[in-house]
Amino acid sequence: MFQYLRHMSVFVAIVEKGSITAAAETLGLSKSVLSLQLTKLEQELNVNLLRRTTRKQILTPAGKTFYNECTKILKQVDYAWQQARDSQHELIGEIKITAPHAFMHTLIAPAIGALIHQHPKLNVHLIDNDDRVDLMDHHIDIAIRVGELPSNDLKQRFLGTFCDVLCASPSFCEHNDIDIKHHQTLNYIGNHWQGKHITHQLQSSSAIDAMHFTASSRVYSMPSLIALCISGAGIAAIPDFIAQPLINNNQLIPVFSSQSLKASPVHALHGYGLKPPLIVTTCLETIQETFKQHLISNKNL
């Protein structure tokens, strides 16, 4: 059994690192040892798992199926180890968290940083990403998602809601006619995930107005979007929990303020079912408490 697990972990490392050479460097073993183990594994299974050339390696259909099953088993082994560590009531080990840029640098990183200060053996990987990456493919433990979620097997925890605020700098407002009827003539700063053409639904007590913008500038992070907006480059949709301090400091001005944008729900996702490891539970609770202080509403599901 232990021999099988060793072969499986070596095979997964070779696949995920892209080559025997890279896997050998990661595992601290020689290329010849890994190559021999892979050969023995294929001989024992009597099937080719990888097609290898001098330039690249490709999983065979059997290899892809075997890889998927190996990752499930090895994840369960990691879970067993983590559960044993959890019995010591000490946060030890590695956790990977992904979230949109807007949440990571303003809310999550400070909260998790304080948690690391209390538990120095906690090894955290924070990944800023506005895209919805696959948790299993990227070995993500916790993902923060904005908007409605598709049906899946992941466990969801509702964190709250927020509203974007359409903002511009005082200098931009001074030099432009901020009129809802002529909004399409205004420069708009967009996030890359919004695409080139953006539509916002502005709501009031009496009507809903659809506002269509074409991004004159596009960015890949929230700090860049805020910097451009403060500099007077155009209008931008900024989450209320980020925009409000800038508005209070007169760095930004809310535009079309008689109407508001639709609120967006925020969830935390994980793939550990009903009994996640202590390290995952603690990080989730830390994130939820932080969001409770900054988002519009918060409740457990």
Side-chain angles (χ1 to χ4, degrees):
M1 176 63 72
F2 292 112
Q3 182 181 6
Y4 292 156
L5 287 175
R6 183 170 65 252
H7 287 334
M8 291 164 71
S9 63
V10 166
F11 173 66
V12 168
I14 292 172
V15 173
E16 294 181 350
K17 295 303 177 181
S19 69
I20 291 178
T21 301
E25 292 176 355
T26 301
L27 298 175
L29 299 171
S30 69
K31 290 169 53 179
S32 59
V33 169
L34 260 66
S35 181
L36 180 60
Q37 289 196 23
L38 178 59
T39 299
K40 286 184 177 180
L41 177 60
E42 290 181 322
Q43 288 174 347
E44 290 183 19
L45 295 174
N46 194 29
V47 66
N48 290 327
L49 300 173
L50 288 169
R51 290 199 299 268
R52 296 177 294 281
T53 68
T54 55
R55 286 189 161 187
K56 62 181 179 180
Q57 61 182 27
I58 301 173
L59 281 169
T60 65
K64 185 174 183 180
T65 300
F66 186 66
Y67 167 75
N68 290 334
E69 294 303 319
C70 284
T71 56
K72 292 177 184 178
I73 293 170
L74 292 175
K75 185 175 182 179
Q76 191 62 37
V77 172
D78 288 339
Y79 175 78
W81 278 88
Q82 191 62 55
Q83 288 291 92
R85 286 175 169 175
D86 289 350
S87 66
Q88 303 173 11
H89 303 290
E90 183 179 9
L91 291 187
I92 303 173
E94 180 178 301
I95 186 168
K96 188 180 290 187
I97 303 171
T98 184
H101 289 83
F103 292 102
M104 187 64 83
H105 82 281
T106 55
L107 302 181
I108 296 174
I112 296 299
L115 188 64
I116 295 172
H117 180 69
Q118 299 173 12
H119 304 276
K121 295 181 180 179
L122 188 60
N123 185 4
V124 177
H125 297 259
L126 300 181
I127 304 170
D128 302 49
N129 198 332
D130 290 329
D131 298 325
R132 293 190 171 190
V133 299
D134 184 272
L135 272 66
M136 179 170 289
D137 287 349
H138 292 81
H139 306 286
I140 302 295
D141 296 292
I142 299 173
I144 307 302
R145 298 279 168 82
V146 176
E148 299 301 326
L149 299 176
S151 177
N152 55 48
D153 295 331
L154 299 174
K155 188 66 177 175
Q156 304 173 8
R157 180 178 295 198
F158 179 78
L159 298 176
T161 62
F162 74 96
C163 285
D164 282 325
V165 181
L166 289 172
C167 297
S169 70
S171 62
F172 183 86
C173 293
E174 182 180 349
H175 292 91
N176 291 272
D177 181 16
I178 309 297
D179 189 315
I180 195 168
K181 295 182 180 179
H182 303 97
H183 67 273
Q184 288 179 300
T185 64
L186 299 171
N187 285 356
Y188 185 92
I189 309 165
N191 268 298
H192 75 98
W193 53 265
Q194 292 176 291
K196 182 72 174 177
H197 302 286
I198 301 98
T199 298
H200 289 299
Q201 300 287 341
L202 278 176
Q203 304 177 81
S204 66
S205 57
S206 58
I208 297 178
D209 293 317
M211 303 186 69
H212 306 284
F213 295 95
T214 299
S216 55
S217 304
R218 296 170 72 184
V219 299
Y220 281 76
S221 73
M222 184 57 61
S224 297
L225 183 142
I226 293 170
L228 281 180
C229 193
I230 290 176
S231 299
I235 291 174
I238 301 175
D240 49 15
F241 59 91
I242 298 177
Q244 196 56 54
L246 300 173
I247 293 170
N248 294 341
N249 291 333
N250 299 315
Q251 293 176 278
L252 292 177
I253 296 174
V255 297
F256 314 124
S257 55
S258 61
Q259 296 171 287
S260 62
L261 295 179
K262 182 180 178 181
S264 299
V266 185
H267 293 83
L269 279 65
H270 66 81
Y272 290 95
L274 297 176
K275 294 183 178 181
L278 177 64
I279 188 173
V280 172
T281 300
T282 304
C283 287
L284 276 172
E285 291 173 350
T286 299
I287 292 170
Q288 185 167 33
E289 183 59 32
T290 300
F291 277 46
K292 184 177 181 180
Q293 299 170 23
H294 294 88
L295 301 194
I296 296 172
S297 61
N298 183 279
K299 62 183 178 180
N300 283 315
L301 290 184

